[in-house]
Structures are given as C-alpha cells and as structure tokens.
Amino acid sequence: MTSKQLPHEPYNIIITGVGGQGNVMASRILANMLVKKGYYITIGESFGASQRGGSVMSHIRISERSNWSPQIPKGRAHAVIALEPTEGIRILKDYGNPNVILLLNTRPIYPVAVIAGEIEYPGLDEIKNSARDLASKVWFIGASDEAIKLGNPILGNIIMLGALSGVSDLPLENEDFKEVILSTIPPDQLDINLKAYDIGKRKVGLPL
Amino acid sequence: MPHLIESGEGAQYLLMGNEAIARGALEAGVKVVTGYPGTPSSDIVERLAKVAIKMNLYVEWSTNEKVAMEVAAAGSLSGVRSMCVMKQNGVNVASDFLLHLAGSGTRAGMVLVPCDDPGALSSANEGESRYFARLFEIPLLEPGDFQEAKDMTRWAFELSESIRNPVTLRSVTRMSHASGNVTFGDIPSEDVHAEFQCNGFMLDPMQGPALSMPVIYRHTEQQKKIKKAREIFENCPFNTYRGPDKPELLIITSSACSLYSREAIRILGVENTVGLLKLGTTWPLPPKLVKRYLSKTDKILIVEEVLPFLEESVKILAAESAYEIGIKRFYGKNDGIIPSVGELNPDLVAEALAQILAIDYQPVSDEYAEKAQRLATLQVPPRELTFCPGCPHRASFWSIHNALQLDGRKGFVCGDIGCYSLAMLPCGFNTLKTLHSMGSGAGLASGFGKLGSFGFTQPVLAVCGDSTFFHAAIPALINAVHHKSNFTLVVLDNGGTAMTGFQPHPGLEINALGEEVPSVDIAEVCKAMGAKVEIRDPFDLEGTRETLNQLIEDKHGLKVLILRQICALSPEKRAGKQYEMTIDEQLCLGDRCGCNRWCTRIFRCPGLVWDQQKRVTRIDDVICTGCGICADICPEGAIKRQEVA
Amino acid sequence: MKVFGPSELLEDVLDKDLCIGCGACINLCPYFRSYRGKTAILFPCTLPEGRCWAYCPKVHVDLNELSKRFFGRAYDENPLGFHRSIRISKAGGHIANASFQAGGTVSALMSFALSKGYVNAAVLTDRDGLLPIPRIAVSPKDVLACSSSKYTAAPTLSALNQAIRGGYDHIGIVATPCQTLAIAKMRSNPMGDKDFFDPIDLVVGLFCTWAVDFRAFESFISERIDMDKITKIDIPPPPAEIMEVYIGTGKIEIPLDEIRKLVPKGCNYCMDMTAEFSDISVGVLEGRPDMNTIIIRTERGEKIVDKAQKEGFLILDDIPRENLEHLVWAAGNKKKNAFIKAKQEGLLTPREKGAR
C-alpha cells in the first residue's frame, strides 16, 4: 500500500512552536495525509501549556511497520519544522544531529520575559547562523509574514507544511492535502488553505 | 478529525489514545459515561458527549469524581454498561466509594479509566492510580499502544461482567494524548433496558440489594473474583512477548513504557539478546505466564512509570517461586537504574540497557552535543507560563496582591487547582502561597483562620474557581462557618472549567451535551451557609481592591467575594475585541522614575510589549484581546482605550 | 547628597520600621501607596536612583547643604533652628469662627495667603473620624474645614505631590517637622533636573514632639470609646500629661504614657521639634490655651506675617521670657534624646560610607 520507501525507518519529524500557532493542527494534517498512504503514524504531544505561553512540540513518527514511541529518541529527528525561530534551536539541542533538515519560520514570538524588558531576544542572524551550524540543510521562510498577507496569521503552519512537501521525499501531494484539509476546516476556507500550501511549496528554493 | 461513529468495522484512522478508548467503549455498547475534567483524561468524555445524542448515551460532567463514579455505578447496577473517566488524583477523590463498590460488586460491565500524568505535565502531582488495584483488589489493565487502547477497553467491559466487578483501565499522558493507527471494530446496535433489581435474596449478586456487607463474606467473594481474573489473564492476548527464546536480559513492562522499551532495544540493536514481555494485565499478575518468562533468563529489567508497582508485584512472585525458577537479578527503580521520578522516554530506557549490557550509547557525537548545548544556552530564552491576554485572573490577582500589600499584616493566599494556580508565578504576582489538591485552599484557610488564640495575626485568604467550588470547596466552607473561622474566600468565577478545556459545571445552565439545565448559584449557596457574600467585576480594579481591604479587615468569620468575569477563551470573548488599545508615547514614562515599566515589567500582560529602542510601551495588536484594563493601571494615563463600534 | 533608589529605601527605612508615613514618596509613581495611615510598597522597583529616596526625610540628609540653600548659612546647633523672630499670636477678627486649635494661627495664615493670592492651592490635612486625609484646598472655606490638630501621623505630602502634578505652581502647605524636611529636600532639586521649578511658596511648619501611628491609635481608642462620638482631640501643654478626647457629652482623659506606646519608631530619632525648614513655624503656648507660639524664619514668612497682621487676620504680641526659655529647653531635649538613640542604633552612618 505504501508507494515510496521512507528515507529512514521510522522517519521522524518534529513540529515545534509556541502555544496557539497551530502546532497540533499541522501535525494532524501531516499525519492524516500519510495515514491515507498506508503508513503507521505515531504522534506524541503534550497540551496544557499550549494556551498559556509555553513551548509546544509534536513528535511525528512515520513507519512502514508499526507504531513507535510517541517521543522521538534524542538526536534522532530527521526533519524539524520550527514555527518559531528560537523553538527550532531549542529542539535541535535535544533532537538534532548533523543530518537533520530544518525549516524555520523567521517571525519571533517573544516570551514574557522579553516583552517585560528583562532579557533580550537573540538577533535573527544569530539564530540563522546557529541553524546552519546545527543542521545539514536549512530553509528560512517568512511563513507568518506571508500568512498575514493572506489575511490570517495562523495559516503560517499550512505554509510550513507546504514547504515540507517541497523539500522532503515524503508523499505529500496537493491532492492529499486537499482531501485532508476538507475534513478539518469549513469549505469556504479551502481555497485560502490550498493557496497557503502552495506558497510554502514555492518558497523553498535551494537550501542555504 | 475522525468522527468516532462514522465508520464501521475495518476502517483505519489515526486516533488519539483517548479517542481510541472512547471508540472501544462505543464498540462495547457503553451507555453511561461520567467523569470530571482532568488532563489528560477529559477528551474521552468530550468525544462521547459529542455523539451522545446520536448514539443514545448518557454523558455527564459530574460535580466531582466521587459523584461521577457513583453515577456510573448506578448505570452498571441497573444493567447498563458504564464508564467513569478521570485523571490520576481523581481516583483518590472517588476512592472511598470505589472501595465499597469493589465490595458490593457491579452488574453490567463498569470500567474505570484513570489517566495518569507521569512527569506532571499538567498536574500538581505525579501520583499513581495503579495501587488502588492492589489496595481495593480490582483488576488492572494497561494498554500498550493505540490499537490496544481501543481493543482493551472493549474487552474490559466483558471482563467486568464475567467477574461482576469494576475493572480499571489505566492510561498515561503519552498514550492518552499521543496518536496512532487504529482499526475499528463494529458498534453493536442493541436496545437496553435499565432496571435496578434489588428485591432478591440479600446475597444474590445480580438481583439482591447492592451492599458491601456482610463484609467478610463480600471480601471472600471479591477475592474469588480476583482469582478468576488471574486465570483469565493467563491466556490474555494483551500479554505479549517478542524476542529471542533465551534472552540475556528480559524487560518486563507495560503501558507507554513498552513503546519506549521497544524503541530502546532497536536503537541499541539488541533485538537478539533482549526479550520484551509486555503485560496488558498488570494486576493481578498471571503467575504461570510470568514465571514462564522469568525462567528464560537470570537478568530482568522492569520499566514502568512512576512508582515501582509492577516491579514489586514481579519481585514478590519471583521470591515466592524462587525454589522453582531460580534466583533472579532484578534491575529497575529500586536500584536506581530507572529514574524513580518523572516520566520515561526511549533514551532513559536505552541508557539503562546500555549500562546493564555494558555497551555504549551515545545519541549524537560529543562535538555536536556540546555545540548544540552552547548555542541553545545563548540563544534560547525561557518561556514562562502566563495568563492569557484578557484573563480576568490577572486582574483579580492584581487586586488581591495590592490589597494585601496595603493591609501590611503579611496576609497570604491559599491556592487551589485551575488556571489560577499559575498565580504562584510572576504572571499572578506570586500571590499563591499554598497549592495542593482540589478544594484544599479553603480547607487550609479554615484551619489558618482558627489560629488567633496562638498569636496568629496574618489575614487569611483562599481562592478557588467556579468549578472547584462545587467539586470540593463546599465542605471546607461549611466547616469555616460552623467553627467561626476567620478568612476571606475569593471565588474566581469565569464561567467554566477553563484549564481543562472550558467544560461546563453545575454553576452553568448548560451540560455536557449542550442542553439547557438548571444551574446552582454560588452566591446563594454561600449565603445559605451563613457567609457574608459580595460580588464584583474583577475588571473594576479599584472597586475590587477596596472591597478586598474591607473584607480582610472584618474579623468575623467567613467572607466570600465572588469575582465574576468571563474567561478570555470563551466563545463570547473570542468573538471580538471590546476596546482598541493604543499608547500615547508622549505621556509614557517608560523606564524613568515615576513608572519604571509598571505595565510591561510588573503587570506583565503579553499584549504590552517593551520597545527597547523607543523606551516606551507598545501594544501588540495581534495578541491584545482588547479587555481594556491596562488603561486603568498606567500612572500617566498613557494607555488609551477606545470602544470598538 | 548621593541619591539612591527604592531598594535602598526599603532596606533603610521601611524594613527597619523607621517610616513615619509623611507621604513624600506617594503619588510620585504607582509603587508607593498609603492606606489607613501606613505607607506600603506594592511591588519592587529596581531603579538605582529615585525621587522616593531623594525626598524621604528618614534616609541620610545633609542638613548643612539644605541650610545653606534655604537660609544662606551652615546648620548650627540652635535648638530652634534658624529664625528671625519668635512671638506669640492668634487669629484676628477677620477670620470667620471655626473650631480652631489653640490660637488658630495656622488657619489664619493659610486662609490669608489663599485669599490674597500668595498661593493658589493650600495642602492641608483633614480627617474622617480619626483617619487623617490629605487635602488640596483652593478657597479659604476649604482651609477652615481642615482646622484642628491631628495627632496621628498623616501622609500630607502625597497631596503636595498630587498638587504639583495637577499644575498648581504657587503652593502653600502646613507640615510637620519631618514633612518640612522632605519638602526642603524636594525643593533642593536632588535629581539634578535641568528644567527644575520650585512650585512651593509658603511652608507653615507645626511644632511636634511625636505623633501616633493611626492604626495603633484607632485600635487603642476603639477599645475604649465609641469612635463615632469623638468631636475633638487635644493634648494640653505640660504638666498635664494627658490626652483629652472630647465626645458629645464631655471629655475622656487618657494618660499620655499609654499614648506614647503608639508612637511610630521613626519619631524616636527625630531631632526637629519646631519644623526648622519652614517659612513660619507654629505651636502651642504653655499657659495660654487661646494663643500660639510663632517662629518666623524667612523673609517671605516675615512679609506674610506682617501683612496678615496689618489686615487684621493675625494678632501678634511678644513672647514671655519663661515661655521662650522653656521652648528652647524642650527643643534641645528632643534633639539630644533623638541623637543618643540614633547613635545607639547605628543610624548615623550614611549609606555611601559603607553602613549596613
């Protein structure tokens, strides 16, 4: 039933961000696209902190054989989608390795200590350098900015999924996306979501 | 999102563990489902509530877990399959009834589903529900993956009926909130008829009265039931083994730990030396089965969360049968190779394995690890938890904190469980000084309020939410009135059980199914008790603070201040902003004497951002929900609010 | 004088229980507030330098510097402080009848200054029951409503700060010695503000040996007397040694020794009995309950007193020698006792010289 062989068995993806960015929705969409292709998918998440300013991450295991642990072992992420820049680095600290690929949304969400003026948020260039240092390939995407242009910041997560489809070997075609998204959102939102997915796909040229 | 009832047998979906449990219950023909909101368990009841009308189920968010269990038991005793859902410490609340229910026995299948939270990801404790199985002599099942979560739930009802006893199916956060592939079974379409048959012979388990007495008789019967369960477990398909016939090391595990263990074996490449016995029936242990596997090797590692429950059961069995199977070397929590606190993960299990088998385990090279650690330390700021923008609790604790500072007699607040528990952090101005279980804030306050004769002069306050009020605070309040304890309770009424997902409770006119129902008025209940009651809007900061100071100075008995303002996440609030907020940069003093960032640094709403360059505050329009109260705290009147048309 | 900030203020004054609730730090910012006579800090402020410290009369103060600024000469040990003349006085016929304390000199002076436009606002202390309430008076009628002594420490300077924020630029104020010291500090531009402007035009100081803490006093009195019935409180001059509390039907006498237990700790280290940093200081006159002692210190004070006398607002006379001698003795005694206690407590070493 599976159409392509996975680059790794299981293939491990982490989607990370700050509560409220649509982390959970993105992981569900991605997972459901792949379940339809006959893969075993395991998702590990913790909610609770999500609405109240904390970091969130979804661990997604894609396997041809079975379900796996909902937590990816240390150093074994194959792809990381970071909806927030510093969260991307935070994930690489525990789950990164020299071969990981990283898609990084460049728009910061400031923690309370930063907006209270107590600590400084690192400069984007610093973060980009670290990202290049810690990943084998990295793409910097202004997903939130594009989403705001479309009229809804939360579409950033869809754009990032589109970007993943553009860079990875996983079967993540537009038709699969369309089928899954229709069961998630009201029909009048379909076009804008498809547009967002497409923008993501086109935003990934050569890795930097 | 899969619709729980839309597909039939053979369909495969990606389901959360909780959804799988819900589906399993439907496939078993459950009819009565009760619970109290508690992460990570709440989704089970929520999913079933959504399909309740269509599937003719009765689904209830009960006042607390004890009542929830009693309501479910009524279903079972009337011949209708029932399920009761809660988080780990909910079982503590229900435990007295559970003890007696295990004595009286049940009739139609009744399954108790506690969802534990190892590592306390959303709890104030990492207590264990599994020990109640041993303590009250109730069979305990633990699903090891998502398919099992469904299949075991379905089977649990049959098991319960075959022994006429409640059955516990224990999940954990990493099972309940994780997702995996599940193949559906069929949902029966049967009519049920509820009737409590109670006029038969006193000891008749199906037609007599439901009594936990005569105790010795009942207890003897109960132990026979456990013996029967044990025999059933010997052949249970949920106890599985994978690995070599003669492993060097045997892992015995259950629940999500079986997934971690399987992963750890694979990471280290020791599939040919390490066997994995995954138990789905963890109490009572099936002795023949366990002994069979214990005999395969001398080295046994037990992997579980959180306490060494399984470890102790296995060790007892091993000690009793040592003359048969030989002396074993055990590894687990007691010797420290598996951490004794917190949740587990594949790495911790891999480290344990590596240590026992004397092999190397290194997730990444030292060089990468050092580099990643260094960069993360420099660049990754901590993210503190905070109240949502527009949260009434921020306003309430602002007033409570300031009232206590003005009072000046070292007053303090006893905290309770809910979103407002965060008030022990800077977002709530570090106001909470005690935090234990549901309703314990009022209970502690009732005690502190009686220490005057020992020279105690500090003003005593307690806080509780509207849901917590009904769950557990009422007995403590009655205690306070009756014993003339001097304290002030602040009820933070935001119109729902917010922290767990905004479920309804008896203070609202709506139930789990969305139907209109009578509500119970908190103010009237407190007045009926004889407390002095005031109601304020927490967004009226000065009015609230003034009222608090007056109540704190009143030395006579229990005072209740209800601060009523709806949660920022409620549908009404989310619909739109009430105010458009702006900053007049000319008036803003910023970090100068006269302000020193009062709004960003002290008040700390995420919608107020400190602009390092301009040295003034600005509003983050995306985050700001337009509640408007920051305009009232600015000493210079620089924060402006404009009503949105 | 080096200026420190609120953390130091907390350490040096509030945590040491030396605060006397004068109100100098209140209404400058949202951190300090007064509630029922007690000054509280709501949250910690981290600024290294603040007006709260700069204005507080209970941190280290360079009296020499202040004396040079206001009187043009170094601070000396004259028990009564620098002055041009000392007389006795009472309100003149031009003042409407009100419930004065003693001679009514303070009310007369302030309502005169206001009605003639020497000041456009007068900062006074009113009361609600026993609770002192700072007020900004803009008419002579408002002034008279605030007449009568209050023996409780009051955060009057919070109203001064409010008046300054409100844009009043010719302010008169009636203040206790600790408050006049704070006012002197305020007027010396301690923060080095380039656009500094002194909006205070008349400081009338009150003699004070000690005050009582409001909360302690309220608690003490309420156990003995129905608070609603109190119409007036008085402490007659020695050798009476009593406090008189007037209720509708008569008066109740309380031994002063009991009242002294209610004095805030900070008062014990205060060396100023006659409000040395004022334009005019006013107090009782022993043996003459209808008169005041009046000390005239500055040129401005002298002008206003002369005019008030000429226009019939004030009646003046010479001070009898006995009274003057006793005044000097009493003021000197307060200085001596305070100095000894302060030295014992180690309170005489300024922060920058490494104390604490």
Side-chain angles (χ1 to χ4, degrees), chain B residues 241-251 264-266 268-276 296-301 353-354 356-359:
Chain B
Y241 177 81
R242 66 203 287 160
D245 208 44
K246 294 236 179 301
E248 189 188 322
L249 170 71
L250 172 71
I251 295 180
I265 292 171
R266 193 186 66 93
L268 295 174
V270 291
E271 291 93 334
N272 293 328
T273 44
V274 178
L276 182 66
K296 285 176 183 287
T297 179
D298 289 336
K299 284 199 278 193
I300 293 126
L301 167 64
L353 278 180
I356 299 169
L357 299 173
I359 52 183

Side-chain angles (χ1 to χ4, degrees), chain A residues 9-10 18 28 31-32 35 39-49 51-55 61 65-76 84 86-87 89-90 92-93 96-98 100 109-122 126-127 130 133-135 153 183-184, chain B residues 1 3 12-14 16 43 121-122 145-146 173-175 177-181 259-260 262-263 266-267 343-347 361 363-365 368 371-373 375-376 378-388 419 422 498-499 569 574 597 600-601 604-610 612 618 622:
Chain A
E9 167 54 49
V18 178
R28 287 291 178 287
N32 279 311
V35 159
Y39 290 107
Y40 285 90
I41 306 292
T42 315
I43 309 179
E45 269 157 350
S46 52
F47 320 136
Q51 294 280 12
R52 287 148 195 94
S55 313
R61 327 290 308 275
R65 292 197 255 136
S66 69
N67 287 122
W68 290 97
S69 154
Q71 287 140 295
I72 295 171
K74 296 278 190 300
R76 290 195 181 229
E84 204 278 341
T86 57
E87 295 307 313
I89 309 298
R90 194 196 306 275
L92 292 182
K93 170 170 74 79
N97 56 75
V100 72
I109 293 189
Y110 300 111
V112 175
V114 169
I115 63 180
E118 279 160 14
I119 56 178
E120 285 198 25
Y121 191 88
E126 260 182 87
I127 298 173
S130 299
D133 227 351
L134 294 173
S183 62
T184 321
Chain B
M1 298 294 169
H3 295 277
Q12 199 190 76
Y13 279 104
L14 185 69
M16 251 187 354
D43 323 81
L121 300 168
S122 320
D145 64 34
F146 309 95
T173 305
R174 297 294 184 186
M175 189 66 68
H177 281 171
S179 302
N181 299 50
L259 294 171
Y260 310 151
R262 186 151 64 84
E263 187 104 37
R266 193 186 66 93
I267 294 173
E343 64 164 351
L344 297 180
N345 58 47
D347 298 281
Y361 173 56
V364 285
S365 71
Y368 186 92
K371 186 168 57 166
Q373 180 68 47
L375 291 172
L378 286 173
Q379 291 172 14
V380 181
R383 287 196 189 267
E384 64 188 70
L385 295 184
T386 184
F387 292 126
C388 303
C419 279
L422 294 178
M499 188 54 139
L569 301 178
R574 281 180 125 154
R597 301 189 285 113
T600 52
R601 189 177 67 96
R604 259 177 139 79
C605 174
L608 297 162
V609 182
W610 173 242
Q612 284 280 16
R618 64 175 173 84
V622 174

Side-chain angles (χ1 to χ4, degrees), chain B residues 238-517:
Chain B
F238 300 117
N239 299 325
T240 61
Y241 177 81
R242 66 203 287 160
D245 208 44
K246 294 236 179 301
E248 189 188 322
L249 170 71
L250 172 71
I251 295 180
I252 304 182
T253 181
S254 68
S255 191
C257 294
S258 64
L259 294 171
Y260 310 151
S261 304
R262 186 151 64 84
E263 187 104 37
I265 292 171
R266 193 186 66 93
I267 294 173
L268 295 174
V270 291
E271 291 93 334
N272 293 328
T273 44
V274 178
L276 182 66
L277 174 64
K278 181 203 80 71
L279 292 174
T281 63
T282 40
W283 199 89
L285 287 182
K288 294 194 198 110
L289 183 146
V290 176
K291 280 193 285 188
R292 194 158 60 236
Y293 289 98
L294 288 178
S295 309
K296 285 176 183 287
T297 179
D298 289 336
K299 284 199 278 193
I300 293 126
L301 167 64
I302 300 170
V303 179
E304 63 182 323
E305 294 162 324
V306 170
L307 294 170
F309 175 77
L310 184 59
E311 187 173 320
E312 285 162 6
S313 300
V314 171
K315 283 177 176 174
I316 290 171
L317 184 62
E320 284 170 340
S321 42
Y323 70 98
E324 287 177 276
I325 60 172
I327 311 276
K328 306 294 166 186
R329 171 80 200 269
F330 284 102
Y331 299 92
K333 294 203 180 236
N334 278 359
D335 60 274
I337 209 165
I338 296 283
S340 53
V341 297
E343 64 164 351
L344 297 180
N345 58 47
D347 298 281
L348 290 169
V349 184
E351 277 162 25
L353 278 180
Q355 213 181 317
I356 299 169
L357 299 173
I359 52 183
D360 271 324
Y361 173 56
Q362 199 178 36
V364 285
S365 71
D366 280 336
E367 193 210 328
Y368 186 92
E370 185 275 332
K371 186 168 57 166
Q373 180 68 47
R374 182 174 34 89
L375 291 172
T377 310
L378 286 173
Q379 291 172 14
V380 181
R383 287 196 189 267
E384 64 188 70
L385 295 184
T386 184
F387 292 126
C388 303
C391 176
H393 297 332
R394 180 176 285 109
S396 298
F397 285 105
W398 181 256
S399 300
I400 292 172
H401 175 275
N402 291 343
L404 287 175
Q405 288 301 105
L406 292 181
D407 179 271
R409 290 178 289 157
K410 298 200 189 148
F412 58 89
V413 181
C414 299
D416 216 302
I417 303 293
C419 279
Y420 52 89
S421 305
L422 294 178
M424 60 183 171
L425 303 174
C427 59
F429 321 110
N430 306 100
T431 316
L432 296 193
K433 301 301 182 185
T434 75
L435 185 64
H436 300 88
S437 59
M438 298 281 289
S440 61
L444 278 168
S446 180
F448 283 123
K450 287 305 293 180
L451 299 178
S453 56
F454 304 116
F456 196 93
T457 54
Q458 296 159 267
V460 181
L461 280 87
V463 289
C464 77
D466 41 335
S467 192
T468 311
F469 176 85
F470 291 108
H471 182 294
I474 292 176
L477 298 175
I478 292 176
N479 191 68
V481 170
H482 181 65
H483 293 291
K484 298 200 284 186
S485 175
N486 180 24
F487 78 92
T488 303
L489 173 73
V490 181
V491 179
L492 301 170
D493 185 354
N494 58 357
T497 317
M499 188 54 139
T500 42
F502 222 69
Q503 293 85 8
H505 60 65
L508 305 183
E509 285 173 343
I510 196 169
N511 67 8
L513 309 187
E515 299 166 333
E516 213 180 291
V517 287

